[in-house]
Structures are given as structure tokens and as C-alpha cells.
Amino acid sequence: MKVLGIESSCDETGVAVYDTEQGLLSERLYSQVAMHAEYGGVVPELASRDHIRKIVPLIRDAVSDAGLGMKDLDGIAYTSGPGLIGALMVGASVGRTMAWSLGIPALAVHHMEGHLLAPMLEEGAPDFPFVALLVSGGHTMLVEVKALGDYAILGESLDDAVGEAFDKTAKLLGLSYPGGPELAALAEQGKATDIKFPRPMINRPGLDFSFSGLKTAALQTWQKSAQTTEAKADIAYAFQEAVVDTLCIKCERALKQTGYQRLVVAGGVGANKRLRARLNELKAEVFFPRQAFCTDNGAMIAYAGALRLAAGQQEPAVISPQPRWSLESLTTLREAV
Ligand code: KG4
Ligand code: ZN
């Protein structure tokens, strides 16, 4: 089954074609980062308009890269939520309408299900069950994944998501947008000093997170420092260590609590090199998608949609994106993978 996947939940227009027999056939991505950089963050209305400009040419290119025509597609999957309503509306309208006009099924994909299945696009994909650490700009979650669609949230952030904490701290330190990767790059220039930030909520039982205090701690340390490039890099280092330590401690706890041996890491912050290195030291099998599939992309949506479409699931002819959508409410498909 050849499925076109469309991602447009935030500031990336991602399109891909996945074949349940041959795997990923093509993938195209357009990032709006340069456009939003001027404003220091994503401007929702500009995001929607840019998705409108880019989405159809990207679909044409991805389908032709796959060596196919539109009539060869067997289904269309699009991100239906969570995300920015205007941005979601673009992908959902284009995807649902194309499916209707081609007379093929369409499927609304949960963005976070896309992220958590992304490591399955790689060689040596994990088997179920596993613990998933989802770390993006909008979410920080530990999820018990028993089967496709059988998700129980073990813990989540009570305030800022990890990516958001990286982005806000970077902004306070005067780094350019998008802050996360910039701050991570700066941390690589830094070293261990006596700056030590808190590891939030590790002394309490449970698997929830709280990252909002770290940005203030980083800002205060910066204001009191010599304000040199070296001082900034050392603060970035201490911030990254605090985040990575906290995530590692909670992942270890989640593995212990579930008794699972496998950990899947996904979402934009999964691209962080220090996090990858430290999680690889855990006593578990750890799976990551390639860096390009950590951040938003069409391939993960095409893949998640293909599994569900191949199992017979499909949407009625209605366009109804869901900016808020619980991961635990999805239909379980035990035989799909
Ligand atoms: O999954 P994603 O592309 O979009 C959302 O669904 O949110 O994640 C984007 C987030 C941003 O907050 C970005 O700063 C962060 O992931 N990020 C990183 C790194 N690369 C991306 N954070 C830390 N280190 C990185 N290398
Ligand atoms: Zn995402």
C-alpha cells in the first residue's frame, strides 16, 4: 500500500511517500525557520500561509521522486493534531480533499504517534512493548507503549516542554532562533564548572517533569557572571547537563516501573547529542530515529498512517483537525506491525 503522508502541525511542511512493501520511497521537507527567526518564535498566521504556499509543490515533488503518479497512491495520511489550528487546517484540508478526489481512504494521524513510531523507519526497529521518551518543543512525555495505539502516559511536563526550556533559555542568553540547537552547540564549547542547576522533581516519586525553573536559574547565573563567551558556554553546558540528567533519571525509573528493556526516544530534542550519548549508557536497548526524523517530518506521518490504513482504519469525508488531542484516546491495533 502506497501512502502519502503530510505534516503541517507547526513550522515545517513535510511530505513523504511510504510503501508498506518497499518502505520509504521519498521525502521532502520545507522548514519555515528562517521566516520565523525575525520574530524570535513561530508566528501562527505566517505559518499557515506559508504551508499553503509550499504544500502542493512539495506533494508533487515527493510523489514524482517516488516514481509514481497521483493515481498510484492508495491512501493519504495527514497530521490532524495536536498543533497550531491554522497550520493543521492546511494539511488536513489538502490531504482529505486529495483523498476524496482520488477516491482513496484518508487517515488523520496523531503527531505524537508519528514521533514515537519514527524509530521504526530505521534498520533494527524496536519490537513492542517499549517505553517512549517524547521530547519536542510542545511535549515532554514518558509513554508506556504496549502495542500500536495502546499508549499510557507515565509522566509529562507540568509546565515547559524540554524543547521549550531549551528555546526560552537560549533566548534569555541572547542566542538566535531556533534556540535549542544553538544552545546545544554552545554547550559543546563549555565545560564542567561549579555552576550546578537543579534536577527538577527527581526527589519526588513519579515520572512528571518541570523545566520552567531552569531558565530563570540560567538567566540569574548569566547576570551574575563575567558575561563572556566562555561564561555563556559554561552556563549552556550546566543547563544541558541538568536537563539530560533529569531525563536520564526519569527514563531509568520508567524502565524499572514497567519492567521493559527497550527505550525509544523521539521528538526534536532527541537530536541532542549529549542526550543520545547519556541514554545509550542506560542498561536498556535504546532506539533513536536518524536526526532528520527526530524533528518534524512527513515520513513519520506517512509511516504511522500506512500502518493504520493497511489495518483498514479510515476517516469519514470530514475535515476536523484537533489542536488538542489525547494520545491515550487512539484506537489500538494489536496486529498491525
Ligand atoms: O519535534 P519538533 O521538531 O517540533 C515539535 O513538535 O515541537 O521539536 C522542536 C524542538 C525545539 O524546541 C528545538 O529547539 C528542539 O526541538 N531541538 C533541540 C535540538 N534540536 C532541536 N533541543 C536541544 N538540542 C538539540 N540538538
Ligand atoms: Zn513534533
Side-chain angles (χ1 to χ4, degrees), residues 12 111 115 136-138 163-164 166-167 179-181 184 267-269 271-272 294-296:
E12 253 109 28
H111 181 78
H115 272 306
S136 73
E164 196 179 357
F166 262 94
D167 294 341
V269 186
N272 186 281
C294 280
T295 45
D296 292 348

